[in-house]
């Protein structure tokens, strides 16, 4: 997906969100937001918005210190782990554990752990379990899972990664060999190897880092080792809008995107309402819209 | 009101709105939005957001040509003139024509003529006539009008200025001598002398231009003649959020602000819900919050 005009205000909105989480120092806020403007000016309109936000977040980290989100991410994981036992029970007792755990993995992407409250969580989980999936390729997903032994799972955020664990455990139960990829270094609230450990995933399957601090998965910037794993994967489960933005124009077999459409640009281009749940197939035989 | 962190994304959002109205040329869009970033970087945090947006809109006009909003403003005025006869009847038949015309003047500020439809207009007018005014200084406004002979009226947008005409005619009916100030040169969809003419105001009262192309009323940038009129006015009726942002820290007797709070920053600082209707007194004896 390429940068569009509407992305520009959103670049700065994301800086505001990041700053609100990390500091109350007004002078620092001003210095940071003004310092990212040259990064915004360098935006390459032929690339995904995630390219620009990657550079923006590098700048923010450089100015605020190492991983300003570390504490917040720890809290998100803790919150999510509190929900884990009862949600795993629901998966085990459901008629279709793969669908239920896929829906919960999308729920993990919907939940804004930054404004966590039990009420928000409960209603989001219920919506994710029972609400419509706007782009619903579940039958193809089920078939692809059945046909694959090795699955690459691209994680997105801290907190959410506990919900990913539920889907991974379900896939393990089907005898699948899942490799989970996390970020190579801290960026925003994205999950790293540390979060995978806290979420209890490192004991369940192989966890690799992608060697990159990018928003989403920018294959030009991820490690050779990660690219090798990605290229050899028969099935990729990709979580979150950042991974969708950066991978949807890659002509690879076979990716399923599980996420919520969180911005007008993505929603408009996909022709779905804002905040839709998506379980969307992408591959050589089913390419997503090319101009995006 | 001083610039706050949340204003930065909004600066770019306003550029997007302006560009959407004026061009479909993608390359021009990119050039314009990137060219305003240095203006955003020069933001003086001790000034109002309107200072930055003034420089931004100068840049946009410079790049897009003279007054890209001219046609759109003409349409807004035409739309509003279509409503004028029936709304004037409502004012004349109401138990308190000053209140009804003040509410309609606020309605003019609420209506987004850019997304005009008869349904939107009708519901907005009904809400403006019957809904709550969050900061309601109408009794003081009535008293100030009764006590004043000369009134300075600061207009805001095209389209809206037809609604202003209804309040001005009502004030004329009370024997008041109203001077209407419009922008000295085109900026955004703000009313200029041309719009005052189209709205039928030039025949009703004196119309002056403020000698400036600023968003709101930045007294350092308006003409000496306008400043003289402003200083000598016993009562100022100020329309719109831009005028509120730029005049609320001026220690002048006596200003009433009639507007809708259109952004989170202003709403939060005033302690009112977003999109509230306000008829707010400001003066030496009733200063608004100073830190704003």
């Amino acid at each position: 997906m390429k940068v569009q005009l509407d992305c520009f205000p959103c670049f700065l909105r994301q800086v505001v969100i990041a700053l609100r989480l990390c500091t109350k120092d007004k002078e620092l806020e001003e210095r940071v937001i003004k310092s990212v403007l040259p990064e915004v000016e360098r935006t390459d309109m032929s690339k995904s918005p995630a390219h620009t936000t990657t550079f923006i977040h590098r700048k923010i980290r450089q100015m605020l210190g190492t991983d300003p989100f570390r504490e917040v991410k720890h809290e998100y994981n803790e919150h999510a782990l509190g929900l884990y036992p009862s949600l795993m029970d629901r998966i085990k007792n459901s008629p279709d554990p793969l669908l239920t755990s896929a829906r919960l993995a999308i729920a993990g992407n919907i939940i804004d752990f930054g404004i966590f409250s039990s009420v928000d969580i409960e209603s989001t989980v219920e919506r994710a379990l029972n609400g419509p999936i706007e782009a619903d390729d579940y039958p193809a997903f089920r078939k692809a899972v059945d046909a694959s032994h090795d699955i690459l799972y691209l994680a997105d955020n801290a907190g959410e990664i506990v919900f990913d664990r539920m889907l991974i455990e379900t896939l393990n139960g089907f005898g699948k060999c899942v490799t989970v990829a996390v970020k190579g270094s801290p960026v925003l609230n994205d999950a790293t190897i540390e979060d995978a450990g806290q979420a209890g995933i490192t004991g369940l399957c192989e966890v690799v880092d992608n060697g990159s601090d990018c928003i989403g998965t920018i294959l030009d910037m991820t490690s050779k080792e990660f690219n090798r794993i990605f290229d050899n994967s028969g099935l990729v489960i990709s979580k979150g809008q950042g991974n969708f933005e950066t991978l949807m124009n890659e002509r690879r077999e076979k990716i399923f995107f599980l996420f919520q459409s969180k911005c007008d640009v993505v929603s408009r281009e996909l022709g779905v309402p804002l905040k839709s749940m998506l379980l969307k197939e992408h591959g050589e035989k089913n390419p997503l819209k090319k101009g995006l």
Side-chain angles (χ1 to χ4, degrees), chain A residues 101-102 105-106 141 151-156 160-161 163-168 171 178-182 201 205 208 226 233 235-239 243 258:
Chain A
S101 56
I106 301 172
F141 178 68
I151 299 171
L152 175 62
Y153 194 107
L154 307 180
D156 186 17
E160 180 180 347
I161 198 170
F163 286 73
D164 296 328
R165 173 180 166 182
M166 301 177 205
L167 176 50
I168 292 159
L171 293 166
V178 183
T179 300
V180 174
V182 293
I201 287 179
C205 61
V208 298
F226 173 79
S233 292
L235 174 60
V236 177
I237 298 175
S238 163
K239 285 292 306 293
N243 281 327
L258 278 63

Side-chain angles (χ1 to χ4, degrees), chain A residues 7-282:
Chain A
C7 299
F8 283 82
C10 196
F11 291 149
L12 296 191
R13 204 174 58 81
Q14 289 179 56
V15 180
V16 172
I17 291 168
L19 286 170
R20 289 263 182 271
L21 278 171
C22 304
T23 180
K24 287 181 177 171
D25 179 337
K26 296 279 176 200
E27 285 183 18
L28 181 60
E29 282 178 359
E30 181 187 348
R31 279 204 308 280
V32 171
I33 200 148
K34 289 186 172 179
S35 298
V36 303
L37 293 170
E39 302 297 342
V40 176
E41 203 171 345
R42 279 192 281 273
T43 294
D44 182 340
M45 306 292 284
S46 71
K47 307 274 190 187
S48 74
H51 278 75
T52 298
T53 45
T54 292
F55 294 118
I56 286 174
H57 282 290
R58 277 184 193 164
K59 190 79 188 177
I60 294 174
R61 281 198 305 282
Q62 181 193 326
M63 294 186 76
L64 292 183
T66 310
D67 195 6
F69 291 90
R70 189 173 176 182
E71 196 178 326
V72 159
K73 291 200 298 176
H74 190 87
E75 280 173 33
Y76 294 178
N77 291 329
E78 283 300 310
H79 281 310
L81 282 166
L83 302 163
Y84 170 81
S86 66
L87 293 176
M88 274 309 289
D89 281 346
R90 288 186 77 155
I91 291 169
K92 281 172 194 160
N93 295 324
S94 73
D96 185 346
L98 181 63
L99 177 59
T100 305
S101 56
R103 280 181 172 270
L104 283 172
I106 301 172
N109 188 245
I110 295 173
I111 294 165
D112 182 349
F113 289 91
I115 52 164
F116 182 98
S117 81
S118 57
V119 176
D120 291 334
I121 290 283
E122 277 169 26
S123 64
T124 303
V125 164
E126 290 313 317
R127 188 190 137 214
L129 287 174
N130 302 306
I133 298 178
E134 288 293 336
D136 189 357
D137 288 333
Y138 178 67
F141 178 68
R142 158 119 248 161
K143 208 170 153 189
V145 167
D146 286 343
S148 309
H149 180 257
D150 298 307
I151 299 171
L152 175 62
Y153 194 107
L154 307 180
D156 186 17
N157 298 322
E160 180 180 347
I161 198 170
V162 175
F163 286 73
D164 296 328
R165 173 180 166 182
M166 301 177 205
L167 176 50
I168 292 159
E169 284 191 67
T170 305
L171 293 166
N172 279 351
F174 293 155
K176 308 299 171 185
C177 178
V178 183
T179 300
V180 174
V182 293
K183 297 291 148 64
S185 16
V187 51
L188 199 56
N189 60 335
D190 285 21
T192 60
I193 203 94
E194 192 178 333
D195 300 296
Q198 194 188 349
I201 287 179
T202 38
L204 296 172
C205 61
E206 192 182 359
V207 180
V208 298
D209 79 57
N210 70 2
S212 157
D213 68 349
C214 294
I215 304 287
T217 300
I218 302 175
L219 293 172
D220 292 345
M221 299 189 192
T222 49
S223 68
K224 277 187 187 173
E225 173 60 13
F226 173 79
N227 274 268
R228 192 192 57 73
I229 296 169
F230 188 89
D231 288 343
N232 294 333
S233 292
L235 174 60
V236 177
I237 298 175
S238 163
K239 285 292 306 293
Q241 187 172 293
N243 281 327
F244 173 75
E245 285 179 22
T246 47
L247 291 174
M248 66 161 291
N249 288 341
E250 295 293 334
R251 299 186 66 81
R252 308 281 177 125
E253 284 287 351
K254 174 174 277 203
I255 310 177
F256 284 84
F257 297 104
L258 278 63
F259 69 113
Q260 185 193 38
S261 63
K262 289 182 176 168
C263 81
D264 286 330
V265 173
V266 167
S267 306
R268 193 167 55 229
E269 294 292 332
L270 281 170
V272 298
L274 185 67
K275 296 188 177 178
S276 291
M277 299 205 302
L278 295 127
L279 196 166
K280 184 82 189 143
E281 181 180 13
H282 174 49

